[in-house]
Amino acid sequence: MQSSDFSNSYDVIIIGAGAAGLMAAVECGKRGRRTLLLEHTTKIGEKIRISGGGRCNFTNIHTTPAQYLSDNPHFVRSALARYKPSDNISYHEKTLGQLFCDHSAQQIIQMFLDLAHQYHVEIKTQCTISELEKGADRKFYLKTSLGPFESQSLVIATGGLSIPQIGASDFGYKIAEQFNLNIIPPRPALVPLLLHEEELSALKGLSGLSAPAYVSFNKRVFLENILITHRGLSGPAILQISSYLEPESAPHTIQIDLLPYDNLEEFFKINRKSKKTPLSHLRTLLPNRLVDYFAERNSDLTRSITDLSNEALRKIVAQFKVFCLEIAGNEGYRKAEVTAGGLDTKELSSKTMEVIKVPGLYFIGEVVDVTGWLGGYNFQWAWASGFVAGQFA
Ligand SMILES: Cc1cc2nc3c(=O)[nH]c(=O)nc-3n(C[C@H](O)[C@H](O)[C@H](O)COP(=O)(O)OP(=O)(O)OC[C@H]3O[C@@H](n4cnc5c(N)ncnc54)[C@H](O)[C@@H]3O)c2cc1C
């Protein structure tokens, strides 16, 4: 496969023109490295374009290692410290420290295109890579639909398996296998959850309903909105907890506190002698449809508080504060915002993102076993790991 044609020879080849690949390419270009960025679809940065409702929630000002899942939770520390939430483009802050583009995610893509042009980074799209090998001369040789290419350094930035309809592939994992690198089994994360048929038909009338709630599983708790769908559960709090439902710990029962801001117990204590019903009070706190769902299952909700025993009141509190649902599965990669798992971080230097046993080979972004919470953390990882690799590749 070896070729010695200079026009096909680069210092660095980066595979995958997503967030991480674009950042690494520009950083390599800045260092004067002859850089080629290869993308197999027709477009670059497609996930940047569709994210955050078209405005890309590109980072979060509260980023720390605590918002990342990985077999090695400390791995992200170095890269995150070297590339902090940037102020390259004009943005606005939404809730929870999330930064969004003022106008459109296209601003970010255009910024990278301009920088790539400025630093002479070559970008080739619609490029299918059929073979890749490392020669005895330590160079990487690629056989592609656009001809052969070779480079001193090779950066894998092909992302995870989420949203295959816009270009996701298992290319990165295959390269990892080719070089005998360990992979933490990939799984959909930040993904809507499915409920069992019985639960689903009971909740049928609530489809489309959204409310703030604490959602918890295994000591993890998120306070954001939940959304009841015709297949199960979604909304930010559900997506967040979904990342923690590892297949090994199934079956999973999640706990939902539907009254995150209200102390129902205290209300009953103060109104212990009241003729009011729990139903009338709960209707001031929650959507009627939701309260009716519980009233259909517990007739005590329609009786006066004064007529109810302490045990009956405790039961009502538990219904709303400790609402438990068993999860049947998730909606899979077609709906998952990210892929958890990936290249085992033990294979990489956290300072450079270079594979320890394969000098010159780098892995960055979502293909690595690093998964952020919802809220800009995944792009922040893509930028930070791309930035770091861009200083060394
Ligand atoms: C709908 C949606 C909304 C999201 N919103 C947000 C958000 O608001 N904030 C946030 O932080 N995160 C968000 N994410 C997650 C975020 O988009 C990803 O974590 C991030 O894009 C990962 O960057 P990456 O460069 O590692 O991978 P990607 O962006 O997936 O880029 C990988 C690139 O590699 C290309 N590729 C794959 N296989 C090959 C191959 N064989 N040859 C050549 N090229 C290949 C792909 O086509 C793609 O261009 C969202 C994800 C989705 C799906």
Side-chain angles (χ1 to χ4, degrees):
M1 229 217 287
Q2 307 203 356
S3 92
S4 50
D5 178 357
F6 176 76
S7 66
N8 290 335
S9 178
Y10 294 84
D11 294 327
V12 187
I13 293 178
I14 294 159
I15 305 179
L22 284 163
M23 175 62 93
V26 165
E27 289 303 313
C28 287
K30 278 185 191 169
R31 287 167 47 232
R33 303 285 277 160
R34 190 167 140 78
T35 304
L36 173 66
L37 178 57
L38 296 177
E39 166 62 44
H40 71 158
T41 69
T42 53
K43 293 181 189 151
I44 67 156
E46 191 57 1
K47 276 195 190 158
I48 299 173
R49 193 183 65 76
I50 64 165
S51 66
R55 289 202 167 174
C56 188
N57 173 201
F58 62 92
T59 193
N60 195 299
I61 54 170
H62 302 308
T63 301
T64 71
Q67 288 91 30
Y68 292 89
L69 291 79
S70 173
D71 234 35
N72 173 7
H74 301 293
F75 180 80
V76 296
R77 203 170 284 280
S78 170
L80 292 180
R82 295 192 23 224
Y83 189 83
K84 302 226 162 72
S86 82
D87 55 1
N88 277 335
I89 53 166
S90 69
Y91 60 80
H92 60 273
E93 184 179 345
K94 274 202 189 167
T95 52
L96 306 171
Q98 303 175 27
L99 301 191
F100 285 73
C101 301
D102 273 346
H103 302 292
S104 139
Q106 194 61 40
Q107 286 176 278
I108 296 183
I109 299 171
Q110 194 55 51
M111 178 190 82
F112 277 116
L113 280 173
D114 293 345
L115 289 169
H117 180 73
Q118 184 181 343
Y119 296 111
H120 312 292
V121 173
E122 275 184 59
I123 301 178
K124 293 185 193 290
T125 56
Q126 290 179 281
C127 176
T128 305
I129 297 149
S130 51
E131 261 182 78
L132 183 165
E133 66 183 33
K134 189 169 186 194
D137 57 0
R138 299 168 74 103
K139 281 189 183 174
F140 294 91
Y141 293 90
L142 278 65
K143 203 169 165 184
T144 84
S145 56
L146 302 180
F149 298 107
E150 61 180 64
S151 62
Q152 294 165 5
S153 295
L154 182 70
V155 183
I156 307 296
T158 46
L161 297 169
S162 307
I163 323 284
Q165 41 300 25
I166 57 163
S169 82
D170 63 356
F171 184 86
Y173 311 128
K174 290 231 170 88
I175 298 304
E177 276 168 21
Q178 182 183 332
F179 286 95
N180 286 319
L181 307 176
N182 191 43
I183 294 169
I184 304 297
R187 63 174 201 280
L190 298 181
V191 62
L193 297 175
L194 302 173
L195 292 173
H196 294 290
E197 202 47 55
E198 197 182 323
E199 208 75 75
L200 212 50
S201 61
L203 291 169
K204 207 167 153 201
L206 301 183
S207 181
L209 191 142
S210 166
Y214 281 113
V215 177
S216 49
F217 173 77
N218 209 5
K219 295 187 189 152
R220 283 278 160 191
V221 187
F222 291 96
L223 171 58
E224 284 182 72
N225 270 16
I226 61 163
L227 170 71
I228 299 173
T229 70
H230 62 288
R231 302 189 67 192
L233 299 168
S234 190
I238 296 294
L239 299 184
Q240 298 280 36
I241 210 76
S242 75
S243 300
Y244 289 91
L245 308 185
E246 294 177 18
E248 310 86 69
S249 55
H252 306 114
T253 298
I254 62 167
Q255 198 173 299
I256 303 174
D257 175 352
L258 292 161
L259 293 170
Y261 305 116
D262 301 286
N263 190 336
L264 192 56
E265 213 170 353
E266 187 65 18
F267 174 82
F268 287 151
K269 221 181 263 174
I270 296 167
N271 293 278
R272 194 64 189 91
K273 301 269 179 274
S274 169
K275 290 258 179 253
K276 279 187 208 165
T277 63
L279 185 80
S280 63
H281 176 61
L282 284 158
R283 282 190 159 167
T284 65
L285 306 176
L286 289 167
N288 284 351
R289 274 197 292 161
L290 188 56
V291 181
D292 292 346
Y293 165 86
F294 289 100
E296 278 163 25
R297 281 152 187 83
N298 182 357
S299 57
D300 284 348
L301 261 78
T302 54
R303 296 174 60 200
S304 296
I305 296 171
T306 185
D307 295 338
L308 292 169
S309 67
N310 285 341
E311 184 48 35
L313 290 173
R314 252 196 304 277
K315 205 172 142 201
I316 294 171
V317 171
Q319 264 187 308
F320 288 87
K321 303 285 286 180
V322 196
F323 179 42
C324 292
L325 287 170
E326 190 178 295
I327 301 306
N330 64 57
E331 298 233 21
Y333 289 117
R334 291 187 70 78
K335 290 282 169 69
E337 216 164 89
V338 290
T339 303
L343 182 82
D344 191 340
T345 57
K346 290 189 192 81
E347 303 284 10
L348 297 176
S349 154
S350 64
K351 306 269 184 301
T352 63
M353 303 303 293
E354 188 174 19
V355 175
I356 294 160
K357 57 191 181 210
V358 189
L361 181 62
Y362 297 75
F363 281 73
I364 54 172
E366 200 178 309
V367 70
V368 178
D369 170 36
V370 170
T371 306
W373 287 0
L374 194 75
Y377 300 103
N378 283 295
F379 277 127
Q380 184 56 33
W381 168 246
W383 311 135
S385 57
F387 175 84
V388 167
Q391 311 311 309
F392 295 94

